[in-house]
Each structure stands twice: as C-alpha cells, then as structure tokens.
Amino acid sequence: MGLMKALGGHLRPLDRELAATLRRLEPDTPELVLAGAALASLAVSQGHAGFDPARPRQLVADGIDWPAPDDWTAALSASDWVATGGDGRADNRPLVFEGGLLYLRRYREYEQRLATRLHALAARRPAAVDEAALAPVFDALFPAGGSDPLQARAASMALRRALLLVTGGPGTGKTTTIARMLVLLVAQASLADAPAPRIALAAPTGRAAERMAGSLQAAAARLAATAGIDPAWLDALPRSAGTLHRLLGTIPGSPRFRHDADHPLPFDVVVVDEASMVDLPLMCKLAEAVPDGARLVLLGDPDQLPSVEAGDVLAAICQAAGTDDGCAAGEASAATPATAVGATGDLFEHGAIDGGSRPKPPLHGHRVHLLRGYRQSAGFGLAPLAAAVRDGDAHRALALLRGGTLAGVHFHEDAADPLAVATGLLPHWRALADAADPAAALAAAAGVRLLTALRGGPQGTGPLNARIEEALAGPRPPLHFPGRLLLVDENSHRHRLFNGDVGICLRDDDGTLLAWFADGAGGVRAFHPSALPRHQSAFAMTVHKAQGSEFDTVWLQLPRNEGSRVLSRELVYTALTRARRELHLCAGAEVLRGALGRHVERVSGLHRRLVPDMGGA
C-alpha cells in the first residue's frame, strides 16, 4: 500500500487537497513529497510549526510503514516544490525544508520574521536612566525588606530593555510587577519633563484582558496609599485592556491586521499577558507592529498549555533567553539586593545585567522568572501538588493527593461523574438565577467552575453541560433560560464580545430574558440571546477555554481513557492552577500517571533561529 493511501484516514480534506494539487500540477511528483506536504499541513493543525520526517509518529501514531528519514530528506531536497534553507527562490515555492523540518512556506516565514524582530528589539537600548532621580521612586515601589527582589529586578530591567519577559507560575505577582514597572516608566518621563508613555495592555482572550485590567487597577489602588508615589503617575496608567486582535485591528476576511510593520501601533509600551496562549502567526504580527523605540513586555507561564494554534512560542523565547544571571532559584536574594536600592543605585546594576566579556545569545538577560506565590489563599496547599505536576512526578503527585494533607485539595479517585460527587455544584448554579442583579450573578458564577480535558465523551463538556441544563431547566430545556451560563466561541467586534467571554441569562426588570456580560469597567451589558455570536453553555468548560481565568473553586474531571492524546502534564497543571482556594480532582490513578508522563512537545525551529550559535538563520 502506498504511503498516501495509508495516510488517507488520518488526513484532513485540506491536507489531501494540497497533495492532490501538487500532483495535478506536476504528475511526476514523488509520493514522499506529496505525503510530506500533506503532513506539513496536518502538523500545523496539531499545533506544530512544521513536520519532522524523523518523527512522523508525532502526527500519526497508528501502525504505518514509515520511510527512512534519509530517504524522505533526499526526496524533499530534490523536489522543485521544496525550497531549502537559504534558497533565494524560497518565496516562490509552497514548501521549505530547513533545519530538518518541512514547513508550509508561510510558517517558515513567520518563524524567521519573528526571530528577526525579537533580535532587533533585544538589541535596542532605551535612553539613559537618571538613576539618582529615580532611586527614591524605587525605594517607594520596592521598600527594603518588604518586596520581592525579583519583582524589583524586573522593573529595573524594564528601564534598560526594549524587550522583556516576566515569567512565573500562577499568582507569582506578574501583574503587580507590571503595575510598579509602569509607574516607574511614567515617573521616569515625568521627572524628565517628558510626556507620559502611551501604554497598551492586551491578552489573547477577552476574559484574560479583563482580568489583567482588574489586577492592574487593584495594584494601582494599593500604590495610591504609598508615600512618594505621585497620584498623577497612577492616573497615567491604562484603565482597560483588550484582546490582541482588537489591539492590532482585525480586518474582516483578511489574515492581516491594520497595524503592522508599515503601520505600527501608536504606543510606547505594549504589555501582553498570558503570552503562552499566543500562537506563532499572532506573535509574529504583534512583534512587527511594535514600533521602533517602543517596549514589548511579555508576561506568562511557560509551563502552561501552549497555544491551541501553531507553535509553543513563549517556551521557545524563554529557552532562548534563559534567566538573567542571578535570577535562578537560590541566587535571587544575592543578585538582587532589595536593600541596595536607595542612594547607591545598585538595583540598576549595569554589570549584573550587561556585564561579562563572554558573548551572550541575543535574548540573554531579557527574562526574569518570578518564584514567590501570592494568588492562593494562605490556607490552600496547592503549591506542592502544582510543583509535582509541573515536573511530571506522578508518584509524588499521587502520594500528596492520597495523603490528604494538602489544605483545600480533594482527590476523588476513580470518580467518573463529577455531578454525582460534587453535590454542591447544582445548588450553586440554581442560585445564580435568583441573584440580586447580573453583576452579582457573574461574580458568583466565577466562584466555581467545572473543568474537563475533552469536549466529547461521558466526561466531556458537551454531555456534562447537557445534563446540567436538564437538571436546572427540566427535560428538553429551552435554548436559553434564567441562570444559564454562556461561553462565547468566536470574536464579534460588533458586540465587543470575544472568544472566551462568559455571560449569564437573566430577566430584566420588564421580565425580558437577556444575556448579560461584564463590560470591563465594573458594569454589565445586555444582549438579546438570539443576537449573540456563536456560544455554548459554560457550566463545564475545557481547560483550554479556562486558560487565562481563575476561580475560587475548581473541579477538574479527567476522562477514564488513559490513552487520550489530549492529556498532558501541561493540561493538568494549567487546570489545577486556575484555583485560588479549593481544588477537587476527579481522576483514576493510571489516567493521572499517563497524563503526567506526557509532555506537550511542539515541532518548531524558532529556538534555533533565536540562538544563532545553534545554527539559527
């Protein structure tokens, strides 16, 4: 059986059509080239930037008699459809074979353009810092002995970097760090009699953007009571955040945005939260739209799930950047003395950031990884479990879960029906329909969420939401009913509703059933349910949809099939770290072992391009 025939049931119609087009245009095209083209297309749909002929089982695990990698490489290198690295005609061919990977040309270009732009941002140095003038501001923002030295270091680096990554696990204070960093940048401009920097806040989803803005406002409110902080500096901070698509300016029917390299964004500082969710094409377009002379600050947790679309961009950038000298665990306090801020100005430490004669990779010294956790309540013992899951240590994770010593963490071993175990879920959702007002209902709804790994199957969101709807509204429930939680599935700029936004159906004062959503400024907006963009129930959500959100209590239901390719340590880690106060995990031991033993691995050449001494172009 030929390779294309063997692949038939595994390919999408789009993948098969690409191969068929190449064959139609050139009937003598070798089957290995046709199969490679189809698999390069399939790879993108599975989150990879390209196809690795040496590891085809990453895409198709079933028993196929795969050709030897050398044979595949020879066929691709000789094909007129395939450009090789450095080939001047690469932009005229649909495929590029480079660094051992076969790309659809567009995705190779995204990698190359992103690497080029990040190198340019990393190479630029902002104007000189008046350390003596800013030292008192540093003292106020990062008091000696009363602040995280790594947060102070991040703010210091922001003064001297046009590109900065602030990473860390959930609740490590990334947004708090950004609030103080922005105040510092505003103060720097004010003390130099310059205009305040124009600042944009953005995130991949509407919900993440809303949470980012709320966190920044809360941090600014805390700083308002801090001596030495001019209220005018706080007034210069942005009050809202938007999605990346809204920031860049979506053009209906086009993959392009209104803002690009030729029409850059009108901002001096662009801050992006939840950067792990940003895919390769979007990160490329964002970086190119950042104007020369502006700063790009990326926040995120590289241990979370990568983007649904192609690429694991944040992880590749973090790997290329490493952590700044002295920022690794165990060295933080020595390298970043919070007590040395004052008149000495040591926190601006030229040597620690730029020092050393040994050549550094272009992104070296552009990342701070925060370590101290703040999000979870003092009585919540999630941290040891999160660390075990992040490390893929199933033995330690199960011991912690079964030991029952983690406050607020509950293990419902082998439970396959969360609605049978979670006796409080249905009463909680029933009470939403009787909330005092839509804002109160939305706030209460965010207190508890049921998360799943899959959409289908008995433990998937589809069947679970259907059962919940019947329990709340009776057999054959209407499409919309009071108390129904809604999850928007697509962006609608006309409604200012975005993929991931959560709303609730409630009656207004006239008895009309409306769908209510937060407006991002503390209020709510109402829509007739029939006018909404595509949506579904949000009582149960997939972990991917919940990424960028947080809840007081999380119920996580894993499927019973331990072989599901969706399960991974990143999925479990992302899910359980959505919880602020309480976690309930419903899973079998073998399913959990299988998940923690599976690491999400994306095929990409971005790291190679970001670190030239490893062969990057």
Side-chain angles (χ1 to χ4, degrees):
M1 179 188 297
L3 184 55
M4 282 299 299
K5 187 172 182 179
L7 287 172
H10 302 283
L11 300 175
R12 303 171 302 159
L14 181 64
D15 311 326
R16 291 192 291 269
E17 181 58 30
L18 173 60
T21 299
L22 299 184
R23 172 172 280 165
R24 185 167 58 253
L25 294 174
E26 182 52 67
D28 293 333
T29 301
E31 187 171 42
L32 286 181
V33 175
L34 298 175
L39 290 169
S41 174
L42 178 65
V44 170
S45 74
Q46 294 188 12
H48 304 287
F51 165 57
D52 185 351
R55 296 182 292 170
R57 288 176 180 82
Q58 284 185 309
L59 301 181
V60 179
D62 291 349
I64 290 179
D65 186 14
W66 296 107
D70 288 346
D71 294 342
W72 223 327
T73 296
L76 294 172
S77 300
S79 174
D80 288 338
W81 292 121
V82 182
T84 56
D87 192 319
R89 294 176 295 169
D91 57 354
N92 296 323
R93 306 187 190 190
L95 303 167
V96 180
F97 187 57
E98 184 178 59
L101 304 181
L102 181 66
Y103 295 91
L104 299 181
R105 174 175 54 82
R106 182 172 54 181
Y107 285 85
R108 184 265 186 190
E109 290 180 352
Y110 283 141
E111 280 193 354
Q112 184 60 49
R113 286 162 47 193
L114 176 57
T116 299
R117 185 56 182 156
L118 291 178
H119 284 162
L121 287 169
R124 200 185 69 78
R125 292 292 180 268
V129 178
D130 186 341
E131 299 178 8
L134 279 178
V137 184
F138 250 115
D139 278 334
L141 292 171
F142 303 99
S147 61
D148 184 346
L150 288 177
Q151 292 186 2
R153 186 174 187 82
S156 169
M157 290 171 63
L159 295 170
R160 301 183 176 281
R161 294 287 186 263
L163 173 67
L164 180 64
L165 285 77
V166 180
T167 60
T172 48
K174 294 186 290 292
T175 309
T176 299
T177 302
I178 290 304
R180 296 180 180 185
M181 176 189 302
L182 294 178
V183 169
L184 188 64
L185 292 172
V186 171
Q188 180 188 27
S190 175
L191 295 173
D193 293 325
R198 298 164 297 172
I199 302 166
L201 305 178
T205 68
R207 176 58 184 153
E210 178 184 316
R211 186 167 64 83
M212 179 191 193
S215 297
L216 188 73
Q217 291 172 20
R222 292 191 294 270
L223 289 173
T226 302
I229 301 301
D230 189 333
W233 300 343
L234 300 177
D235 291 341
L237 299 183
R239 295 288 186 269
S240 62
T243 64
L244 283 170
H245 285 80
R246 186 175 184 182
L247 173 72
L248 295 172
T250 301
I251 301 175
S254 171
R256 299 177 60 85
F257 291 103
R258 300 187 190 282
H259 292 289
D260 55 20
D262 296 324
H263 307 88
L265 291 163
F267 297 104
D268 305 301
V269 183
V270 178
V271 183
V272 178
D273 199 7
E274 298 292 349
S276 64
M277 300 170 64
V278 183
D279 60 48
L280 174 62
L282 186 56
M283 187 67 83
C284 174
K285 294 169 186 178
L286 167 68
E288 290 184 332
V290 174
D292 292 336
R295 289 174 170 88
L296 173 62
V297 182
L298 301 177
L299 313 181
D301 182 353
D303 294 314
Q304 286 189 28
L305 281 167
S307 61
V308 175
E309 305 299 332
D312 191 355
V313 179
L314 180 65
I317 299 174
C318 287
Q319 187 182 6
T323 52
D324 186 67
D325 292 344
C327 284
E331 300 177 10
S333 60
T336 335
T339 57
V341 179
T344 66
D346 286 346
L347 193 60
F348 297 98
E349 24 186 358
H350 308 281
I353 294 179
D354 297 318
S357 58
R358 181 167 51 90
K360 305 289 187 182
L363 301 191
H364 178 85
H366 290 262
R367 177 190 177 198
V368 173
H369 187 69
L370 304 178
L371 301 171
R372 185 186 302 173
Y374 297 93
R375 174 190 292 174
Q376 283 77 32
S377 65
F380 189 22
L382 180 65
L385 177 62
V389 170
R390 183 192 62 220
D391 296 340
D393 190 338
H395 178 77
R396 179 158 52 105
L398 283 167
L400 290 168
L401 288 166
R402 288 168 170 166
T405 59
L406 303 180
V409 176
H410 309 276
F411 186 35
H412 307 283
E413 190 166 359
D414 294 324
D417 184 0
L419 300 182
V421 179
T423 56
L425 281 178
L426 289 175
H428 168 79
W429 288 322
R430 285 195 182 97
L432 297 179
D434 299 322
D437 55 65
L442 287 169
V448 180
R449 198 56 47 94
L450 171 59
L451 304 182
T452 72
L454 305 170
R455 290 191 296 269
Q459 290 82 40
T461 56
L464 283 172
N465 275 322
R467 290 175 56 202
I468 294 166
E469 290 168 8
E470 287 192 5
L472 298 180
R476 298 182 181 178
L479 182 59
H480 300 98
F481 56 85
R484 185 191 179 198
L485 287 178
L486 305 175
L487 176 68
V488 174
D489 274 341
E490 63 183 3
N491 295 331
S492 174
H493 295 273
R494 179 168 64 91
H495 295 87
R496 288 187 294 117
L497 293 173
F498 300 94
N499 186 8
D501 284 353
V502 173
I504 190 167
C505 291
L506 292 175
R507 298 193 185 279
D508 65 6
D509 292 339
D510 297 326
T512 303
L513 186 66
L514 299 174
W516 303 81
F517 291 82
D519 65 2
V524 292
R525 296 180 296 140
F527 302 88
H528 193 282
S530 64
L532 292 173
R534 190 179 67 237
H535 58 279
Q536 59 181 284
S537 283
F539 302 106
M541 295 171 60
T542 63
V543 177
H544 276 94
K545 287 289 188 181
Q547 198 169 354
S549 299
E550 57 184 40
F551 314 98
D552 289 338
T553 300
V554 166
W555 280 80
L556 173 60
Q557 174 67 62
L558 296 184
R560 304 190 72 174
N561 178 12
E562 61 193 76
S564 174
R565 295 183 67 180
V566 172
L567 292 178
S568 67
R569 71 183 68 166
E570 288 83 1
L571 182 139
V572 178
Y573 173 83
T574 300
L576 60 88
T577 55
R578 301 306 91 204
R580 286 187 294 236
R581 294 185 172 87
E582 190 174 16
L583 170 72
H584 293 262
L585 175 58
C586 303
E590 291 308 311
V591 169
L592 189 60
R593 284 194 185 95
L596 299 195
R598 188 176 293 111
H599 171 58
V600 175
E601 185 178 5
R602 295 285 177 84
V603 172
S604 167
L606 181 59
H607 175 257
R608 174 180 59 84
R609 300 180 196 280
L610 291 172
V611 185
D613 63 353
M614 295 183 65

